[in-house]
Amino acid sequence: LSDADPGDVKLLERVAVLLMKTEQYKEAIPRLKKLLELRDGPPAEYSALGRMMIETDELEPAVTFLESASVRFPDTADFPFLLTFPFARLERWDDALDAFQKTVALAKGKSAELLDERFYFRYAAAHERAEHFTEAELIFRKTLELLAAREPDENNVALAATVMNYLAYLWIERDENIEEAGAMAQEAAELSPENGAIADTLGWYFFKTGNFPRALLELKKAEKLIEEPDPVIFDHLGQTLTALKEVEFAAEYFHKALELDPENKEVKERLSGVKK
């Protein structure tokens, strides 16, 4: 202990433990922070508190706390690693990418377990959200290579399907690598046949390549599979039905899309087009 009163520390510990046992995590956080101020805790205690702050959606305080911990323990990869989570949820993509890069630099060797396929998937997705598409593609491919080297299990197969879908949709939206995107979307659909997002990507591939009947089949499947109504899928259905000259049904789907995304100018224009 430093100059802290041991009695104060013990009391704080008991209160914090009681709050955590009763799952009052938000109330426990300030006590745990105070404990770290009163004594020199190891990096693992800072990491544990940072994780608790993220899990309780204390995102901005988590950023402040973890950045301070990064300064205190500059050679510990866990802190930039943990920072990637609140930065991503706050959509601070440049900060997230900086934290991903620092994690890679610090984790190689002594903390290499952090650099698994899920880490690289999130890293690639952050590049995509920051519109760094070349970097995103490279890291998505690295993620798939890591997954291919694993013994297949339910979790790895599901993640592989998700990564394939993300990369395929990125290409389809940008009209790049269309045939590879279609093959990848098809493989993802075979790995995860009940995934609505993947069915949407496959349907959108068929739309982009002019196979409108098959696009409609896949997109209707996506509509049935999704848990929550999705304006993107509704828009895709509207565009496909427009291409099939089913303008009344197309208008219905554009209306559904606008109910969920009322400021979408492109959908508004498409709706106006089918009403003429």
Side-chain angles (χ1 to χ4, degrees):
L1 298 175
S2 58
D3 295 330
D5 184 333
D8 290 344
V9 171
K10 290 294 184 185
L11 178 60
L12 267 175
E13 285 178 340
R14 287 198 295 271
V15 172
V17 167
L18 178 61
L19 288 169
M20 287 189 290
K21 282 184 177 179
T22 54
E23 298 185 1
Q24 299 180 69
Y25 300 115
K26 288 195 174 186
E27 291 77 8
I29 286 169
R31 275 86 175 179
L32 293 168
K33 287 176 72 175
K34 186 65 177 177
L35 274 171
L36 290 175
E37 292 173 8
L38 292 174
R39 66 185 185 189
D40 292 325
E45 290 187 9
Y46 285 81
S47 295
L49 181 51
R51 291 175 191 274
M52 188 183 298
M53 295 171 79
I54 294 166
E55 289 167 5
T56 54
D57 290 324
E58 299 280 341
L59 300 180
E60 293 287 4
V63 167
T64 301
F65 175 77
L66 290 166
E67 286 181 331
S68 176
S70 293
V71 173
R72 186 179 183 89
F73 304 103
D75 297 325
T76 303
D78 213 27
F79 300 114
F81 171 77
L82 289 173
L83 276 165
T84 64
F85 292 94
F87 281 144
R89 285 163 64 179
L90 292 166
E91 298 189 357
R92 292 171 55 177
W93 300 114
D94 289 341
D95 290 326
L97 289 169
D98 183 59
F100 277 112
Q101 290 159 6
K102 287 179 180 175
T103 305
V104 171
L106 288 172
K108 287 181 177 178
K110 54 187 176 182
S111 301
E113 72 281 356
L114 295 176
L115 307 180
D116 63 6
E117 53 273 9
R118 293 187 181 276
F119 171 85
Y120 281 107
F121 173 55
R122 294 191 306 108
Y123 191 3
H127 269 301
E128 187 273 333
R129 293 299 301 273
E131 299 186 355
H132 303 162
F133 300 116
T134 300
E135 294 86 346
E137 178 182 335
L138 289 171
I139 301 175
F140 278 131
R141 288 190 185 278
K142 179 179 179 66
T143 307
L144 291 171
E145 289 172 6
L146 290 171
L147 283 163
R150 294 268 191 188
E151 286 293 327
D153 62 27
E154 184 177 342
N155 291 331
N156 290 342
V157 168
L159 180 57
T162 298
V163 177
M164 289 179 190
N165 179 61
Y166 206 133
L167 181 53
Y169 193 79
L170 185 157
W171 282 332
I172 293 165
E173 278 290 275
R174 294 173 57 77
D175 291 317
E176 297 175 352
N177 301 339
I178 292 296
E179 290 311 312
E180 185 178 2
M184 195 171 281
Q186 185 66 61
E187 185 176 354
E190 291 167 2
L191 291 174
S192 189
E194 301 302 311
N195 187 307
I198 293 173
D200 173 61
T201 297
L202 188 56
W204 200 227
Y205 160 74
F206 285 119
F207 176 88
K208 289 278 192 173
T209 53
N211 189 342
F212 303 124
R214 181 65 188 278
L216 182 62
L217 181 68
E218 296 295 339
L219 292 168
K220 291 293 288 183
K221 179 181 178 182
E223 181 186 14
K224 291 178 182 177
L225 288 173
I226 54 172
E227 294 182 4
E228 298 290 336
D230 188 322
V232 174
I233 293 176
F234 291 152
D235 179 35
H236 289 171
L237 277 161
Q239 291 187 63
T240 301
L241 287 161
T242 300
L244 291 167
K245 312 300 184 187
E246 299 282 357
V247 293
E248 290 185 10
F249 292 117
E252 289 180 14
Y253 277 106
F254 290 140
H255 276 298
K256 287 182 179 182
L258 286 171
E259 286 174 6
L260 297 171
D261 186 10
E263 301 304 316
N264 193 312
K265 293 180 180 179
E266 293 180 348
V267 177
K268 286 179 180 179
E269 290 173 4
R270 286 192 272 273
L271 177 58
S272 297
V274 297
K275 281 184 171 181
K276 290 178 180 178

